[in-house]
Amino acid sequence: MKLLKSFGLALFIIGFGLFNFSFFWASYQITPDVIHTQISDKKKSELLIHESSSMLNQQFNSNFKFVDELHSAFDRVNQSQVNAFGISAQELDQLVASNSEKFSIASVDSVFKGSDETAAFKQKAFRDYGSWLDGQPTQRAQLQQVADNIRQYGIVSQFGFDRYSIKDLTYSLTKASAISPVKNNPLLYLLLTIGLCVVGALIYIFPKLQLAPGIKNNGIFFNAMKNVKWLGILTGSWLIAFYVVLYFYPEYMTNWVLLVDPVSKMLSGNEAGRFFLYGFIYTLCILVMGVRMIINYRHSKYQILRTCSVMFFQTAFAFLIPEIMIRLNQPYFDFKNIWPLDYSFFFNNRLDTLLANGGLGIFMLVWGIALIIIGVPVFVYFFGKRWYCSWVCGCGGLAETLGDPYRQLSDKSVKAWKAERWIIHSVLVFAVVMTVGVLYTYFTNNSWVLFFDSYKLREIYGAFIGAGFAGVVGTGFYPLMGNRTWCRFGCPLAAYLGIIQRFKSRFRITTNGGQCISCGNCSTYCEMGIDVRWYAQRGQNIVRSSCVGCGVCSSVCPRGVLNLEVKEEDGRFGKPILIGNNHIELVE
Amino acid sequence: MKHIVIIGNGISGITAARHIRKRSNHKITIISGESEYFFSRTALMYVYMGHLKFDHTKPYENNFWKKNKIELVFDWVDKVESTTKSLTLRMKGTIQYDTLIIASGAKPNRFGWPGKDLKGVQGLYHKQDLELMEQNTKGVQHAVLVGGGLIGVEMAEMLLSRNISVTFLVRENAFWSNVLPLQEANLISRHIRSHHVDLRFENELKEIKGDSNGRVQSIVTKSGEEIACQFVGVTVGVSPNISFLKDSGIATARGVLVNEFLETNVPDVYALGDCAERTYELPGRRSIEQVWYTGRMMGEIVAQTICGTKTKYEPGPWFNSAKFFDIEYQTYGQVGNELKAHESEFYWEHSSGTKCVHVIWNTMTREFIGINTFGIRMRHEKFDTWLRAKKSVDFVIEHLAEANFDPEFFTRYEKEIMLQFNEKAVLAH
């Protein structure tokens, strides 16, 4: 058994090592062909080919160097376009000269005359950017400002590459320019990296079947991985780095994306994107670690069913069905994702896609909205928020499987509870305000709402909450702050589900009379940081908005004190009294 | 405002303090040399096994005590003088009290075995015992446990979690058979053995042998067998920890003697928990009850008395629980290890041999007397109500499903139990 475990671990380490190695294992050579296929605008692609001529015949061994060179090529294109289309000091002098006192916008036409592209652009741009100067006293500084704005915003997006397209193109050009063994034989390397990890992990996990069914918490607080020791910190750092690259620097991980190209082509017919890679690894984590969870808790049917449920919903609903929808030329849609966790549900591009897809698109839209306004309250009333958070949700699914080894790391202090309520409800408010703004813009075409720009706000939400909080902190901090950091402190849907669970639900955790011995297992293993013992030792039901109903408190209780129950609402909150003693009166 | 001093910060002393604080403004001081803050004694095993850190065993955050104006003194009490109402502490001088609550707990028994003081021989009760066990079991291969009770099985589980093999010597013919009926004792014995514990019945310790460093090397049983081991766990019960009360004027026998109000012979001095010995009878109960729950109840009672509502200690129907490796045990009412003359029994065991239910009732009146359940959780509240209402065994069996407290989706056995019960009842007629 020990031998088998070590063998599994060795396989996993080899696979994981190769996976990390493959991150760097490529050289890059860009060709005019590649540039033409990735940039459809002929003029722009020619410009880039021109400016990257120094790169064209060169093979780069480092993706960092390659990306650097590519970025400077983009910069050179932008610079040369600014030089070509920018308004010169001389032209400004002419403008000042022809408007001796007051500025008249009509004077623009006389300064920028001619029928060539440059003059036409300058004329139009100055009229657009400088219309507010019409009738004002002429000041050279103001004219200069207009010219600068044109350089910065107008020219770059029209004739060059703005920062969004640079981001996208760097990624796609790098991926297309890669020359690597991985690219030549992705399937082989997929098996040698991720495949080996999966097989190794399973071989490591399966021998646990030989242990008797029951709680398997021996040695957790001596373990370097599960107790914020070196291995845990290392793992956390790796995860954080992975998320930062995934969300903010995807151009460096193209070699990893190449690994899963064949899988993506098989499913949707398209080349893999970075989020396909992410979804693929994510699903495998839930499946492999789900097997571990089931083996660990195989004495509890509740835990077995719950784990099977998250494994199913991730594999079918989050991973396979959306890819198949794409193969069938339908919109990508995850039927179990609910706004505001799915914060982009009401974004104009998604609404447009759904509305453009006829009956099915409309159905998806109605389905999504029905989940928000009917599904959530009705199911929470009958089952508690667990129906979503620990049975269906993808974030919950990862937390309950990959994250299970870290559940004991959540902070149980009253201080943490206070912080939790402030933070999570702020995120909910943020999500609602952002979405209202986005919808306002959708219907009115006006991006300015009251005092904010709805485009800017959605960008901030996406970067700080969607990527930063949910991804980098939410999963990267598993080994540091426990497996539900996002669900507890950040998820706006959890906040919404929680408000209903707290005030209108049949769900509660019941405590069994006077049987609690205050041992602390329940509180320690509560991933949401609820001090379960506080209630159990005074004989009070646990009715907390954050409880995701994972049922582990009940599983680890050595005296059979805790039980997740749905019953009539009466007496749900219950009096804090321990039964078994005569003549005791309750004093609050 | 009185100054109430409590010796001991275990569950009984702490419960008394909390309830006094809820009901009054008295000045409260708790003295303990064992630990700075209240912790759950029953959780010590989980610290050794790595399920918890010691901090997790503390039911209240450290600032709880200051917030509730309960002063904690981290020191041992060496002497009590009831005539001058003062205590002598080991390090921090003397303390005056108006009311004294003695909740000093117990200490592991150690009979007069040769070699009982060798290094590597110990019991388990205090936090210090846990720390000692941590040291004593470093590098140990094999351990011997003596005495077949709850702490013994806990120690076995602890040692196995560190890959230390265990020989378990039990005087009786089955595990914990001075409390459990033979059927349950056998079920648990089988389960302990399934975890590869070398469990030996009707076997007693004769002597512990040490090496030249004064460390345990082996033990010799009464049957003459010598077993090599580097650790000996002595778990033959605990007795009240009251030696510091010598010459205090407070009457003691095995424990501190108390009446039904938990008062000692000295006015304004109370005793509760593991160290208290009742001088009056409670039907079916021992005069010293060293159980978490009774300690807690005594704390609730004494707080009421001290705050002006003089209250008798009259606990409701007996209940208790434990966990033996993977099998949970709960009991409600009175189930003795031997059936009494006026009692009838029904025993159901699941085919897996890891779950059972044992019901006792009065043969003549059919009044339900008690139930043991292993591997199935039951509702305390239901049995408390049924026992107080003196329900019949037929009622209890018929309504057993209502008392089930197992998690959702767990297999239910009430139907099977009821069928078997009815079958046996028919046979009996």
Side-chain angles (χ1 to χ4, degrees):
Chain A
M1 176 170 157
K2 221 172 166 183
L3 213 67
L4 206 60
K5 269 183 85 170
S6 312
F7 176 64
L9 189 61
L11 284 189
F12 179 85
I13 291 172
I14 293 169
F16 187 65
L18 280 174
F19 181 69
N20 283 310
F21 176 69
S22 70
F23 182 89
F24 305 98
W25 197 24
S27 47
Y28 303 85
Q29 185 163 17
I30 199 161
T31 63
D33 269 357
V34 165
I35 294 177
H36 279 306
T37 41
Q38 298 300 327
I39 303 171
S40 47
D41 186 330
K42 192 96 185 157
K43 267 190 199 152
K44 288 191 184 180
S45 56
E46 287 299 342
L47 274 168
L48 189 65
I49 290 170
H50 176 70
E51 291 297 348
S52 58
S53 56
S54 62
M55 294 174 75
L56 287 177
N57 301 316
Q58 200 183 333
Q59 196 162 323
F60 291 83
N61 290 321
S62 139
N63 47 359
F64 293 97
K65 185 96 178 64
F66 180 80
V67 167
D68 267 0
E69 290 284 330
L70 207 53
H71 279 162
S72 25
F74 281 122
D75 283 347
R76 285 195 297 273
V77 170
N78 284 346
Q79 197 50 53
S80 73
Q81 296 299 75
V82 164
N83 291 343
F85 293 96
I87 291 160
S88 65
Q90 212 177 353
E91 287 163 332
L92 278 183
D93 289 342
Q94 288 179 29
L95 275 174
V96 174
S98 54
N99 292 286
S100 53
E101 272 176 27
K102 276 189 179 170
F103 182 79
S104 151
I105 199 74
S107 64
V108 169
D109 301 351
S110 58
V111 175
F112 304 116
K113 18 180 217 276
S115 55
D116 65 328
E117 194 191 4
T118 321
F121 169 76
K122 287 181 183 173
Q123 182 192 357
K124 180 165 185 312
F126 211 99
R127 273 182 166 275
D128 286 349
Y129 282 78
S131 60
W132 57 283
L133 289 174
D134 194 29
Q136 304 278 333
T138 306
Q139 284 181 27
R140 198 178 195 284
Q142 284 180 335
L143 299 179
Q144 180 71 55
Q145 200 187 328
V146 171
D148 288 346
N149 284 342
I150 292 169
R151 270 171 219 263
Q152 207 181 333
Y153 301 109
I155 299 171
V156 165
S157 62
Q158 200 169 334
F159 304 107
F161 300 92
D162 63 23
R163 68 190 168 99
Y164 299 107
S165 51
I166 290 179
K167 194 94 210 159
D168 288 345
L169 285 170
T170 311
Y171 168 78
S172 57
L173 287 169
T174 311
K175 190 180 170 213
S177 308
I179 305 167
S180 79
V182 173
K183 195 174 193 174
N184 299 333
N185 207 340
L187 217 48
L188 172 72
Y189 286 98
L190 180 65
L191 289 177
L192 283 179
T193 55
I194 297 173
L196 220 49
C197 285
V198 168
V199 173
L202 287 174
I203 293 178
Y204 182 79
I205 290 165
F206 270 118
K208 274 199 171 180
L209 273 171
Q210 286 187 316
L211 299 173
I215 294 304
K216 300 275 168 283
N217 288 343
N218 283 350
I220 283 189
F221 282 99
F222 311 134
N223 190 306
M225 181 60 132
K226 302 171 185 173
N227 191 21
V228 204
K229 295 281 161 59
W230 69 271
L231 193 55
I233 294 171
L234 203 66
T235 308
S237 312
W238 189 90
L239 285 170
I240 290 167
F242 175 82
Y243 275 93
V244 169
V245 171
L246 173 74
Y247 282 113
F248 303 105
Y249 303 100
E251 58 272 19
Y252 296 109
M253 66 189 289
T254 51
N255 221 24
W256 282 350
V257 178
L258 287 169
L259 283 173
V260 292
D261 260 345
V263 186
S264 178
K265 279 180 186 150
M266 196 180 75
L267 288 172
S268 67
N270 297 334
E271 273 193 10
R274 56 179 156 143
F275 286 107
F276 180 83
L277 168 76
Y278 179 50
F280 181 74
I281 297 179
Y282 196 102
T283 307
L284 283 177
C285 284
I286 289 187
L287 291 177
V288 172
M289 291 299 276
V291 169
R292 171 190 169 277
M293 183 77 184
I294 290 173
I295 291 176
N296 269 0
Y297 283 92
R298 66 187 190 280
H299 59 292
S300 166
K301 281 200 180 150
Y302 182 80
Q303 299 299 349
I304 293 174
L305 282 171
R306 196 172 62 77
T307 308
C308 289
S309 173
V310 293
M311 288 162 80
F312 166 76
F313 277 102
Q314 174 60 31
T315 313
F317 280 62
F319 185 63
L320 292 178
I321 294 175
E323 296 297 329
I324 293 167
M325 301 298 287
I326 290 184
R327 164 138 279 185
L328 301 175
N329 279 322
Q330 299 296 338
Y332 179 98
F333 197 76
D334 178 352
F335 283 91
K336 62 152 185 57
N337 208 354
I338 306 178
W339 178 91
L341 172 60
D342 181 12
Y343 63 90
S344 62
F345 184 78
F346 293 105
F347 283 10
N348 50 355
N349 51 337
R350 290 189 56 186
L351 290 180
D352 289 341
T353 314
L354 293 184
L355 291 173
N357 269 280
L360 186 65
I362 300 286
F363 171 75
M364 288 167 169
L365 187 61
V366 172
W367 171 265
I369 293 171
L371 276 180
I372 301 163
I373 57 177
I374 303 169
V376 166
V378 170
F379 285 130
V380 174
Y381 176 75
F382 285 107
F383 306 114
K385 84 195 242 189
R386 59 186 171 148
W387 81 267
Y388 194 73
C389 297
S390 63
W391 283 75
V392 172
C393 178
C395 305
L398 193 72
E400 295 292 348
T401 52
L402 182 71
D404 177 69
Y406 309 109
R407 58 172 60 249
Q408 65 282 355
L409 300 178
S410 61
D411 189 339
K412 315 302 188 298
S413 66
V414 175
K415 224 157 83 191
W417 182 20
K418 242 182 215 161
E420 161 199 320
R421 282 175 293 174
W422 272 105
I423 298 169
I424 195 170
H425 293 118
S426 306
V427 174
L428 176 61
V429 170
F430 188 7
V432 170
V433 170
M434 183 270 292
T435 304
V436 168
V438 163
L439 281 174
Y440 176 83
T441 303
Y442 183 75
F443 288 113
T444 63
N445 274 329
N446 188 349
S447 74
W448 198 254
V449 188
L450 296 175
F451 52 88
F452 61 86
D453 176 355
S454 78
Y455 285 99
K456 193 81 205 155
L457 199 65
R458 76 162 80 167
E459 197 187 319
I460 293 172
Y461 189 96
F464 283 90
I465 308 293
F469 204 157
V472 180
V473 177
T475 310
F477 279 58
Y478 272 12
L480 310 175
M481 286 176 66
N483 54 331
R484 286 280 192 177
T485 308
W486 160 247
C487 313
R488 178 186 182 191
F489 292 100
C491 177
L493 178 58
Y496 170 36
L497 289 153
I499 290 169
I500 296 171
Q501 168 158 291
R502 175 68 180 71
F503 295 105
K504 193 72 192 166
S505 171
R506 295 158 63 95
F507 173 75
R508 84 289 312 259
I509 301 177
T510 319
T511 56
N512 197 4
Q515 290 278 28
C516 177
I517 51 164
S518 300
C519 70
N521 274 295
C522 51
S523 295
T524 305
Y525 288 93
C526 176
E527 54 191 357
M528 295 304 284
I530 299 171
D531 191 359
V532 183
R533 167 174 57 192
W534 174 269
Y535 304 90
Q537 68 190 356
R538 62 210 299 253
Q540 197 175 19
N541 288 347
I542 295 121
V543 180
R544 281 276 289 267
S545 59
S546 65
C547 174
V548 292
C550 69
V552 167
C553 57
S554 164
S555 291
V556 298
C557 176
R559 305 293 180 116
V561 176
L562 299 156
N563 200 9
L564 281 57
E565 294 195 87
V566 279
K567 287 200 282 203
E568 61 289 348
E569 278 182 84
D570 282 347
R572 180 169 175 248
F573 287 87
K575 283 197 186 112
I577 188 150
L578 291 162
I579 63 170
N581 200 3
N582 296 344
H583 316 303
I584 283 297
E585 292 152 37
L586 188 63
V587 186
E588 273 300 325
Chain B
M1 198 175 80
K2 289 192 284 192
H3 184 201
I4 296 164
V5 174
I6 301 171
I7 303 177
N9 68 351
I11 179 64
S12 50
I14 288 294
T15 307
R18 281 179 41 244
H19 283 256
I20 292 168
R21 176 50 70 240
K22 277 188 190 177
R23 291 163 189 276
S24 76
N25 236 334
H26 295 310
K27 183 181 175 195
I28 303 172
T29 305
I30 301 176
I31 307 167
S32 167
E34 183 187 10
S35 65
E36 216 173 333
Y37 298 99
F38 171 48
F39 70 94
S40 172
R41 191 171 302 292
T42 49
L44 286 179
M45 65 180 290
Y46 297 112
V47 177
Y48 184 86
M49 292 165 72
H51 294 208
L52 307 175
K53 289 200 227 181
F54 181 74
D55 266 358
H56 293 124
T57 69
K58 294 192 291 191
Y60 301 94
E61 287 186 39
N62 292 349
N63 64 8
F64 174 87
W65 309 104
K66 201 169 185 183
K67 221 169 78 188
N68 287 284
K69 291 183 288 167
I70 295 172
E71 199 188 324
L72 305 178
V73 176
F74 187 33
D75 202 349
W76 299 97
V77 175
D78 274 342
K79 208 171 153 200
V80 176
E81 260 183 83
S82 56
T83 44
T84 57
K85 290 195 161 191
S86 72
L87 309 177
T88 310
L89 305 186
R90 194 164 299 170
M91 288 161 299
K92 295 176 183 162
T94 58
I95 278 190
Q96 293 294 128
Y97 66 81
D98 298 313
T99 302
L100 180 67
I101 299 175
I102 301 167
S104 52
K107 55 184 195 308
N109 288 334
R110 273 210 218 181
F111 301 126
W113 294 302
K116 69 183 165 64
D117 295 321
L118 285 167
K119 240 194 268 171
V121 181
Q122 69 164 106
L124 178 64
Y125 184 91
H126 289 106
K127 183 179 180 238
Q128 285 70 22
D129 296 329
L130 177 76
E131 288 156 4
L132 184 66
M133 188 167 165
E134 192 67 54
Q135 290 171 16
N136 275 343
T137 54
K138 272 208 180 96
V140 165
Q141 311 271 309
H142 191 74
V144 170
L145 298 176
V146 184
L150 291 176
I151 299 183
V153 75
E154 279 183 12
M155 262 192 159
E157 208 177 333
M158 291 161 77
L159 291 162
L160 289 180
S161 80
R162 301 273 185 105
N163 294 318
I164 299 169
S165 56
V166 174
T167 297
F168 198 166
L169 299 183
V170 176
R171 194 178 52 187
E172 292 79 17
N173 60 349
F175 174 76
W176 212 27
S177 60
N178 58 333
V179 173
L180 296 177
L182 198 61
Q183 296 100 317
E184 287 98 308
N186 282 335
L187 182 146
I188 287 304
S189 303
R190 279 199 312 269
H191 185 63
I192 293 173
R193 283 189 168 137
S194 79
H195 278 271
H196 313 295
V197 174
D198 172 23
L199 182 59
R200 303 190 188 187
F201 298 126
E202 295 174 321
N203 225 328
E204 281 184 66
L205 179 67
K206 197 174 113 199
E207 146 174 41
I208 308 169
K209 289 186 173 174
D211 61 13
S212 52
N213 298 322
R215 182 168 178 111
V216 57
Q217 192 175 33
S218 66
I219 61 115
V220 181
T221 66
K222 279 218 171 130
S223 57
E225 191 185 348
E226 185 165 347
I227 302 169
C229 61
Q230 303 82 44
F231 178 81
V232 175
V234 182
T235 62
V236 287
V238 295
S239 40
N241 172 30
I242 51 171
S243 51
F244 66 98
L245 292 176
K246 224 168 62 182
D247 308 325
S248 64
I250 299 166
T252 61
R254 281 199 294 146
V256 184
L257 296 171
V258 294
N259 65 12
E260 60 267 52
F261 298 106
L262 304 175
E263 296 165 328
T264 65
N265 63 317
V266 176
D268 297 325
V269 178
Y270 301 81
L272 42 148
D274 288 5
C275 70
E277 180 176 353
R278 286 195 324 271
T279 52
Y280 65 104
E281 278 284 312
L282 276 176
R285 304 176 78 129
R286 299 164 196 229
S287 59
I288 303 178
E289 286 177 338
Q290 286 147 333
V291 176
W292 175 275
Y293 310 114
T294 50
R296 192 194 70 219
M297 288 184 211
M298 290 183 195
E300 292 166 353
I301 292 291
V302 91
Q304 250 174 231
T305 298
I306 286 172
C307 296
T309 317
K310 204 163 176 178
T311 310
K312 281 186 186 171
Y313 172 60
E314 281 180 328
W318 173 259
F319 68 96
N320 200 1
S321 62
K323 191 174 182 185
F324 307 95
F325 285 93
D326 306 311
I327 299 183
E328 287 172 26
Y329 150 72
Q330 292 182 340
T331 185
Y332 301 102
Q334 299 289 343
V335 181
N337 61 339
E338 274 171 20
L339 205 60
K340 294 185 184 74
H342 66 282
E343 291 175 342
S344 290
E345 66 174 342
F346 166 70
Y347 179 79
W348 168 87
E349 189 175 294
H350 184 249
S351 55
S352 67
T354 56
K355 297 173 196 294
C356 73
V357 168
H358 199 157
V359 183
I360 306 293
W361 67 92
N362 183 311
T363 314
M364 294 300 290
T365 62
R366 297 192 71 75
E367 183 188 327
F368 169 66
I369 295 173
I371 184 169
N372 275 350
T373 114
F374 286 73
I376 299 176
R377 294 176 173 179
M378 298 278 186
R379 267 175 222 277
H380 183 186
E381 193 194 352
K382 280 284 173 217
F383 284 106
D384 194 67
T385 314
W386 291 343
L387 285 161
R388 284 170 196 271
K390 301 192 185 308
K391 292 287 183 193
S392 73
V393 64
D394 309 282
F395 177 93
V396 169
I397 296 283
E398 196 186 330
H399 291 84
L400 204 57
E402 292 169 29
N404 185 299
F405 200 67
D406 270 340
E408 294 149 299
F409 307 116
F410 274 46
T411 313
R412 298 287 156 105
Y413 302 99
E414 289 84 16
K415 243 186 209 152
E416 190 184 323
I417 292 169
M418 192 158 33
L419 277 173
Q420 222 176 86
F421 177 80
N422 291 338
E423 224 168 78
K424 290 209 170 147
V426 170
L427 283 176
H429 275 289

